């Protein structure tokens, strides 16, 4: 009798298969899921929720004028490229200049971004607050913004280096948050309250 599967089943891994090979296979098998590589872990999560998307939209509304004026790009979906043998993250929002580099069709070089944003979900809190910032700092992401609706706060990390971000600015929802150069923009965090 034939076995009926809900989704394709991957063939068993070979002895020579690397984590990057498995990651690529999982991406192919689960195209409708968010598949990331975190510190040699393949992390599969559902696509962002309406709440997630609302937070990103409320942020984008504040960034649109400046992004448009400067010809920058705002993306929801590209992966960050840290190097061929490094982690793969899909941030909730990436802002990049028009003269960015790509690795393949869907990986933007981390150091070519202007802002990377993560919106925290219950399952992503540790990774968004601890693991991803450490990797993004080593990858020279200049500004890493975490919007945490559960803790009702935002964190902006800047001045990346091998040991992490040298500068951290935190604001409770309702307090302003300054984005430094090249932004020179004050974010209003009030719209995130109550989400």
């Amino acid at each position: 009798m034939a076995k009926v599967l809900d989704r394709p089943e991957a063939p068993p891994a070979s002895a020579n298969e690397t984590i990057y090979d498995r990651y690529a296979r999982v991406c192919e098998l689960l195209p409708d899921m968010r598949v990331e590589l975190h510190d040699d872990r393949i992390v599969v999560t559902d696509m962002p929720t309406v709440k997630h998307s609302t937070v990103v939209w409320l942020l984008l509304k504040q960034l649109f004028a400046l992004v448009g004026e400067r010809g920058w790009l705002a993306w929801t979906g590209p992966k960050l490229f840290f190097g061929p043998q490094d982690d793969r993250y899909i941030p909730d929002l990436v802002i990049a200049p028009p003269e960015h580099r790509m690795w393949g069709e869907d990986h933007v070089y981390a150091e070519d971004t202007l802002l990377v944003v993560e919106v925290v979900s219950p399952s992503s809190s540790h990774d968004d607050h601890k693991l991803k910032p450490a990797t993004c700092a080593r990858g020279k992401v200049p500004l890493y913004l975490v919007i945490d609706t559960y803790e009702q706060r935002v964190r902006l990390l800047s001045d990346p280096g091998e040991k992490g971000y040298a500068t951290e600015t935190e604001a409770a929802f309702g307090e302003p948050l300054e984005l430094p150069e090249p932004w020179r923009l004050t974010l209003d965090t009030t719209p995130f309250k109550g989400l």
Side-chain angles (χ1 to χ4, degrees):
M1 178 176 220
K3 180 176 165 184
V4 178
L5 301 173
D6 287 336
R7 55 182 67 219
E9 188 173 281
S14 72
N16 297 353
E17 187 177 53
T18 68
I19 186 74
Y20 305 100
D21 296 328
R22 286 193 301 280
Y23 166 78
R25 282 192 316 125
V26 172
C27 287
E28 288 176 20
L29 287 170
L30 303 173
D32 296 332
M33 301 292 284
R34 178 177 283 204
V35 182
E36 297 179 311
L37 190 55
H38 299 186
D39 201 22
D40 289 334
R41 292 180 299 134
I42 296 172
V43 179
V44 180
T45 56
D46 290 324
M47 293 305 283
T49 63
V50 169
K51 178 180 175 178
H52 245 75
S53 298
T54 301
V55 171
V56 170
W57 168 244
L58 292 170
L59 175 62
L60 274 172
K61 282 179 26 176
Q62 296 184 58
L63 303 180
F64 270 142
L66 188 59
V67 168
E69 174 187 306
R70 297 194 178 165
W72 295 344
L73 303 164
W75 293 320
T76 57
K79 297 172 186 167
L80 294 177
F81 179 69
F82 301 104
Q85 303 301 317
D86 279 315
D87 289 354
R88 302 282 190 271
Y89 300 157
I90 306 172
D92 292 305
L93 179 65
V94 174
I95 308 293
E99 62 279 354
H100 62 278
R101 294 172 296 150
M102 297 293 287
W103 188 71
E105 293 180 6
D106 61 352
H107 288 70
V108 62
Y109 277 73
E111 67 265 28
D112 287 358
T113 63
L114 297 167
L115 177 67
V116 166
V117 180
E118 289 290 357
V119 178
V120 175
S121 63
S123 64
S124 73
S125 183
H126 172 76
D127 289 344
D128 290 345
H129 279 293
K130 301 287 185 199
L131 180 72
K132 289 181 181 182
T135 303
C136 285
R138 286 191 305 273
K140 299 183 179 113
V141 169
L143 295 173
Y144 181 89
L145 179 66
V146 181
I147 303 174
D148 192 330
T149 59
Y150 300 94
E151 294 187 12
Q152 296 284 292
R153 67 183 175 118
V154 293
R155 289 175 64 219
L156 179 66
L157 305 171
S158 57
D159 302 317
E162 284 299 312
K163 295 184 179 184
Y165 284 99
T167 305
E168 178 177 342
T169 306
E170 189 171 312
F173 286 179
E175 298 174 350
L177 179 74
E178 299 294 327
L179 291 183
E181 289 291 339
W183 293 87
R184 286 180 300 181
L185 178 72
T186 302
L187 286 181
D188 178 6
T189 64
T190 305
F192 307 133
K193 274 184 159 183
L195 290 177

